[in-house]
Amino acid sequence: MEVQAFFPHLFLVLLFRISSLLGVGAAQPPVSQGMDPVSCSVEALKTLMRSAGYSDHVSYVQKLQGWELLTSPERHREGVALLGRAMVVRSCWHTRPVFRLTVRVLQDPDLENHMTALVFFTEASGRAGERVLQGAVA
């Protein structure tokens, strides 16, 4: 039950942590010896999603090589977009709470992870709109 309650906050914190570690939108932080903090953060995000009952989402992102995209400084935003798409396409229950938190981040363009939030929100909200339109036509 606690994972469900804290999922939106933890999801965004981990996603923003990965972006920060890759230096997306910020100065590159120092890397510690002996462990890869980006990989550890991605594994924590996957574990969070599995713990919340989203194993199929983790597999969907894996199938589309989203985890590799997420860890690539050059293609990180593609991975962020894929995560947003997965939440909508795979009907994630937490999409709305995550959206609400993302909107709060977007209200302050000076925040370090503003671009990550914008990419995530744009992809997910675009996909949500497509689903609404498809439901209206069907």
Side-chain angles (χ1 to χ4, degrees):
M1 181 63 177
E2 290 164 3
V3 169
Q4 300 299 332
F6 293 114
F7 181 88
H9 289 91
L10 292 172
F11 179 87
L12 285 179
V13 164
L14 288 167
L15 182 59
F16 293 162
R17 177 70 177 147
I18 295 163
S19 294
S20 295
L21 288 168
L22 290 172
V24 178
Q28 187 80 15
V31 177
S32 61
Q33 295 286 342
M35 62 182 288
D36 176 14
V38 174
S39 295
C40 290
S41 298
V42 169
E43 287 305 314
L45 183 57
K46 290 189 217 177
T47 300
L48 172 68
M49 293 178 73
R50 285 186 193 109
S51 296
Y54 298 126
S55 294
D56 57 331
H57 293 68
V58 173
S59 298
Y60 176 77
V61 173
Q62 180 67 42
K63 178 179 162 187
L64 299 174
Q65 299 176 341
W67 303 115
E68 290 80 15
L69 291 172
L70 203 60
T71 61
S72 166
E74 297 81 21
R75 300 189 67 196
H76 175 72
R77 290 186 179 136
E78 292 175 58
V80 171
L82 184 58
L83 272 178
R85 186 177 327 135
M87 289 190 77
V88 175
V89 170
R90 307 293 294 179
S91 300
C92 175
W93 181 88
H94 286 98
T95 300
R96 283 187 180 179
V98 171
F99 274 11
R100 281 193 296 271
L101 289 173
T102 305
V103 167
R104 286 190 210 160
V105 172
L106 291 172
Q107 290 173 342
D108 186 353
D110 295 327
L111 289 177
E112 177 182 342
N113 289 296
H114 187 267
M115 184 55 72
T116 299
L118 184 61
V119 169
F120 178 83
F121 185 81
T122 301
E123 182 66 28
S125 63
R127 295 294 173 168
E130 288 176 17
R131 286 183 59 110
V132 169
L133 289 174
Q134 288 173 353
V137 173

